[in-house]
């Protein structure tokens, strides 16, 4: 997850963290087991590598199972898994997609920087689920009635405007492409950390091999295979969070003790346990609104709303999801608090390595600690792959149905379009893998990810207002969308003196753009309605 200008929630911050995850494990393992290390390129022991390889192999097997489970050669079956998901699969695929490697590393680092105030992350992750309730039940009903496959299908049906549909599609594809690129680069960095002398080769191999595995199971089984792999990835991620929480308390003691140490530290450290000031409160509210609204409008999340087997399954899934931030986001906030108390004084450049340093402290103490590092490494891979595969499939579906089929092959058969969708997945991955390799040492180029919620939130009027108010018109909605995006980007990148840290007085540019957007869309629609006498 990410927003505003904060490095703490940009996928790009994972890069430096992941580089040192494996060496931490390597150092502790060598201290205990000496020469049993397999080789310089394989610092984990044989058992650890068997665990990781079995996990990766299982994804390919599931992809094949998804291929065998196909019921028809249609876009709906490929991109929405046919009749849809039951409760368990829907919850796990939403969970694996919503919680990524950013949650593990980025949120811990941000907690270390600002302290208890980052508990706002629990609120904004919960807000995503609440914002689903603003439109998801009605959207699911429409999707089942009218056969929606992509988010743009709803926009086409609701507004009937090619310009609005294309512009919204471009926004979603750009956001997801940058997001997918960052995840691929982070995968490469994860593998790069396993080599001390062949890091460039390890990076390139990591990006290529993990992306290849992902695109194979994704194109074999479509969303069905992606959701099934998400179930495994979500289980590994949940296991990682659970083990981390137990070992945090075992290693460091209670949260009360950690807080007492923070308050007894330097003035700067003690402030991290102090109540937030007015600007922090505004930032808190800004995060809750921006991430809550924007996160609910991720294209892959919308397609999972379509893919729910029934409205009852969707409602029960959301009822479960609303509690998951307490078992995930809150855990990494606790990890960050423990780091403030017991690993004080880290330089700014090292704050995003907080979780790695905690793992290093834990893993040197016992064999269980070592295996925690192995599980957490697998959990990081799982988190990144579960996010990346969903983004890949969603991009493919929009390129195929909303652009190619709509403008280049309107009479193409479902079977042919499904094959085109599979090829789009391969093309997208090949292009982005190439970019990930080329941009290996220029991570700042993916900092556009900081803006993904600023862009996604501009879709709020079209989806969340338009689905309830029939008076919302296409032309004002398009104009509002264009102005909202322009406002957010100018504030973010315009070098304006009153914009600090990517925000205006603690408020994200995307929310200011949304105010402009919604005012134009709703006010213009009301005015058009008055002029037409409707």
């Amino acid at each position: 997850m990410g927003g505003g200008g904060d490095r703490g929630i940009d996928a790009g911050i994972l890069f430096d963290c992941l580089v040192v995850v494996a060496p931490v494990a390597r150092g502790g393992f060598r201290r205990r087991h000496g020469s049993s290390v397999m080789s310089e390129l394989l610092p984990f022991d044989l058992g650890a590598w068997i665990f990781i390889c079995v996990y990766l192999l299982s994804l390919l097997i599931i992809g094949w199972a998804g291929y065998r489970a196909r019921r028809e050669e249609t876009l709906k079956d490929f991109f929405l898994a046919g009749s849809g998901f039951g409760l368990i699969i829907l919850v796990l695929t939403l969970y694996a997609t919503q919680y990524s490697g950013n949650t593990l590393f980025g949120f811990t680092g941000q907690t270390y920087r600002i302290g208890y105030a980052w508990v706002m992350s629990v609120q904004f992750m919960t807000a995503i689920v609440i914002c689903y309730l603003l439109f998801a039940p009605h959207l699911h009903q429409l999707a089942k009635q009218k056969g929606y496959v992509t988010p743009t299908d709803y926009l086409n049906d609701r507004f009937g405007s090619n310009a609005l549909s294309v512009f919204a599609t471009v926004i979603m594809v750009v956001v997801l492409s940058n997001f997918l690129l960052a995840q691929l680069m982070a995968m490469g960095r994860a593998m790069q950390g396993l080599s001390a002398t062949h890091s460039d080769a390890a990076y390139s191999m990591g990006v290529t091999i993990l992306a290849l595995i992902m695109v194979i199971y994704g194109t074999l089984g479509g969303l069905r295979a992606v959701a099934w792999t998400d179930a495994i990835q979500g289980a590994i991620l949940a296991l990682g969070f659970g083990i981390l929480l137990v070992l945090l308390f075992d290693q460091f003691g209670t949260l009360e003790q950690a807080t007492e140490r923070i308050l007894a530290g330097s003035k700067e450290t003690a402030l991290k346990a102090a109540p937030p000031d007015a600007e922090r409160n505004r930032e808190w509210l800004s995060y809750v609104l921006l991430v809550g609204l924007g996160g609910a409008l991720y294209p892959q999340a919308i397609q999972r709303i379509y893919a729910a087997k029934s409205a009852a399954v969707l409602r029960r899934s959301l009822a479960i999801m609303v509690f998951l931030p307490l078992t995930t986001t809150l855990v990494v906030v606790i990890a960050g608090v423990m780091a403030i108390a017991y690993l004080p004084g880290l330089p700014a450049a090292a704050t995003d390595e907080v979780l790695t340093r905690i793992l290093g402290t834990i893993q040197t103490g016992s064999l269980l600690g070592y295996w925690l590092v192995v599980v957490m490494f697998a959990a990081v891979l799982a988190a990144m792959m579960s996010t990346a595969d969903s983004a890949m499939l969603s991009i493919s579906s929009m390129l195929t149905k909303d652009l190619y089929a709509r403008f280049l092959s309107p009479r193409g058969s479902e079977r042919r379009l499904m094959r085109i969708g599979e090829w789009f997945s391969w093309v997208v991955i090949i292009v982005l893998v190439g970019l990930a390799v080329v941009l290996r040492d220029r991570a700042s180029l993916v900092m556009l990810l900081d803006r993904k919620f600023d862009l996604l939130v501009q879709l709020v009027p079209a989806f969340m207002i338009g689905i309830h108010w029939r008076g919302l018109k296409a032309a004002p909605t398009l104009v509002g969308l264009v102005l909202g995006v322009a406002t957010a980007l100018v504030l973010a990148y315009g070098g304006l003196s009153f914009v600090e840290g990517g925000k205006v007085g603690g408020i994200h540019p995307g929310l200011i753009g949304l105010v402009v957007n919604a005012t134009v869309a709703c006010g213009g629609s009301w005015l058009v309605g008055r002029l037409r006498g409707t």
Side-chain angles (χ1 to χ4, degrees):
M1 307 291 286
D6 292 272
R7 294 177 65 242
I9 51 176
D10 177 6
I13 65 168
L14 293 178
F15 298 176
D16 293 336
C17 303
L18 291 170
V19 169
V20 291
V21 170
V24 166
R26 177 173 60 223
F29 185 68
R30 280 177 173 161
R31 282 190 292 273
R32 289 189 303 274
H33 300 278
S35 60
S36 62
V37 178
M38 290 181 63
S39 74
E40 185 178 15
L41 286 175
L42 301 178
F44 290 138
D45 73 342
L46 178 61
W49 276 105
I50 289 175
F51 175 81
I52 294 171
C53 289
V54 166
Y55 157 64
L56 294 175
L57 180 62
S58 72
L59 302 182
L60 295 176
I61 295 173
I62 290 174
W64 175 251
Y67 174 78
R68 299 287 295 175
R70 284 186 184 179
R71 299 178 181 177
E72 54 189 11
E73 299 285 303
T74 64
L75 293 178
K76 180 180 178 181
D77 187 84
F78 186 73
F79 289 117
L80 294 183
S83 60
F85 301 129
L87 177 64
I88 294 176
I89 295 296
L90 185 60
V91 168
L92 286 174
T93 189
L94 283 170
Y95 170 73
T97 301
Q98 183 165 322
Y99 295 94
S100 71
N102 298 7
T103 313
L104 287 166
F105 287 96
F107 287 15
T108 311
Q110 186 72 348
T111 302
Y112 190 89
R113 285 188 285 274
I114 71 173
Y116 270 103
W118 193 242
V119 76
M120 70 177 77
S121 60
V122 179
Q123 276 73 51
F124 66 59
M125 296 299 282
T126 305
I128 294 175
V129 183
I130 295 173
C131 288
Y132 281 142
L133 297 175
L134 297 178
F135 73 108
H138 194 183
L139 183 61
H140 172 79
Q141 181 182 8
L142 289 175
K144 291 299 184 184
Q145 291 174 354
K146 302 188 178 185
Y148 298 160
V149 173
T150 70
T152 310
D153 283 341
Y154 158 73
L155 297 177
N156 286 330
D157 181 53
R158 170 62 179 82
F159 296 101
S161 167
N162 281 339
L164 176 59
S165 296
V166 169
F167 190 62
T169 299
V170 169
I171 289 174
M172 290 185 281
V173 169
V174 167
V175 166
L176 288 183
S177 295
N178 278 274
F179 196 33
L180 178 53
L181 174 61
Q183 297 300 318
L184 292 173
M185 294 178 76
M187 290 178 196
R189 293 295 186 185
M191 302 308 294
Q192 185 180 33
L194 301 181
S195 174
T197 60
H198 298 85
S199 60
D200 288 350
Y203 174 91
S204 299
M205 288 177 61
V207 170
T208 304
I209 292 173
L210 295 176
L212 182 62
I213 292 172
M214 183 181 69
V215 75
I216 288 175
Y217 73 69
T219 54
L220 276 174
L223 184 61
R224 185 179 287 108
V226 167
W228 290 352
T229 57
D230 282 352
I232 291 180
Q233 292 159 339
I236 293 175
L237 193 59
L239 178 63
F241 280 120
I243 295 175
L244 177 61
L245 181 63
V246 171
L247 292 187
L248 279 173
F249 290 136
D250 179 67
Q251 178 74 31
F252 298 112
T254 67
L255 197 58
E256 180 183 6
Q257 292 171 327
T259 305
E260 290 174 352
R261 286 179 64 97
I262 294 171
L263 292 172
S266 66
K267 181 178 180 181
E268 180 181 359
T269 300
L271 286 175
K272 295 180 180 180
D277 58 19
E279 183 171 351
R280 184 70 75 188
N281 284 330
R282 290 194 298 270
E283 182 184 46
W284 194 318
L285 177 61
S286 180
Y287 268 117
V288 170
L289 293 175
L290 183 82
V291 180
L293 293 169
L297 291 172
Y298 266 129
Q300 64 268 35
I302 291 175
Q303 288 178 296
R304 280 157 175 73
I305 291 171
Y306 295 170
K309 182 168 289 187
S310 67
V313 167
L314 178 62
R315 286 194 297 270
R316 286 197 292 269
S317 298
L318 296 178
I320 295 172
M321 284 289 293
V322 78
F323 293 102
L324 293 184
L326 298 176
T327 63
T328 52
T329 314
L330 186 58
V331 173
V332 294
V333 170
I334 291 173
V337 170
M338 294 295 188
I340 296 172
Y342 296 99
L343 299 173
L346 292 180
T351 55
D352 290 329
E353 300 172 6
V354 163
L355 182 59
T356 300
R357 292 170 183 265
I358 290 176
L359 293 178
T361 301
I362 292 173
Q363 65 92 31
T364 55
S366 66
L367 182 62
L368 179 61
Y370 167 73
W371 277 98
L372 169 65
V373 174
V374 176
V375 173
M376 291 301 293
F377 186 80
V380 169
L381 292 181
M384 291 184 293
M385 293 183 75
S386 64
T387 302
D389 59 20
S390 299
M392 175 195 71
L393 207 62
S394 192
I395 292 170
S396 174
S397 68
M398 290 186 286
L399 291 177
T400 302
K401 194 171 190 300
D402 302 326
L403 298 180
Y404 178 84
R406 186 177 182 86
F407 298 107
L408 298 178
S409 184
R411 297 182 182 180
S413 67
E414 287 276 313
R415 181 184 179 88
R416 173 175 170 75
L417 291 177
M418 195 183 77
R419 295 288 175 262
I420 294 295
E422 293 171 349
W423 279 108
F424 269 131
S425 294
W426 279 93
V427 170
V428 166
I429 288 298
I430 290 171
V431 171
L432 292 181
V433 164
L435 285 173
V437 172
V438 171
L439 303 179
R440 176 176 57 241
D441 300 319
R442 296 153 69 183
S444 61
L445 294 180
V446 299
M447 289 300 288
L448 179 60
L449 283 172
D450 277 341
R451 301 277 78 86
K452 66 180 181 288
F453 286 123
D454 289 329
L455 295 178
L456 281 175
V457 79
Q458 305 310 320
L459 299 175
V460 165
F463 279 93
M464 296 187 184
I465 297 177
I467 202 166
H468 297 293
W469 180 35
R470 297 301 302 176
L472 192 68
K473 309 296 183 183
T477 301
L478 173 60
V479 174
L481 180 59
V482 172
L483 292 177
V485 168
T487 300
L489 293 179
V490 168
L491 289 174
Y493 295 111
L496 304 176
S497 60
F498 55 85
V499 179
E500 296 182 6
K503 305 182 189 71
V504 181
I507 304 299
H508 289 86
L511 290 181
I512 298 173
L514 178 59
V515 171
V516 175
N517 179 355
T519 300
V520 172
C522 296
S525 297
W526 176 81
L527 183 60
V528 169
R530 289 292 299 266
L531 292 175
R532 293 179 179 176
T534 59

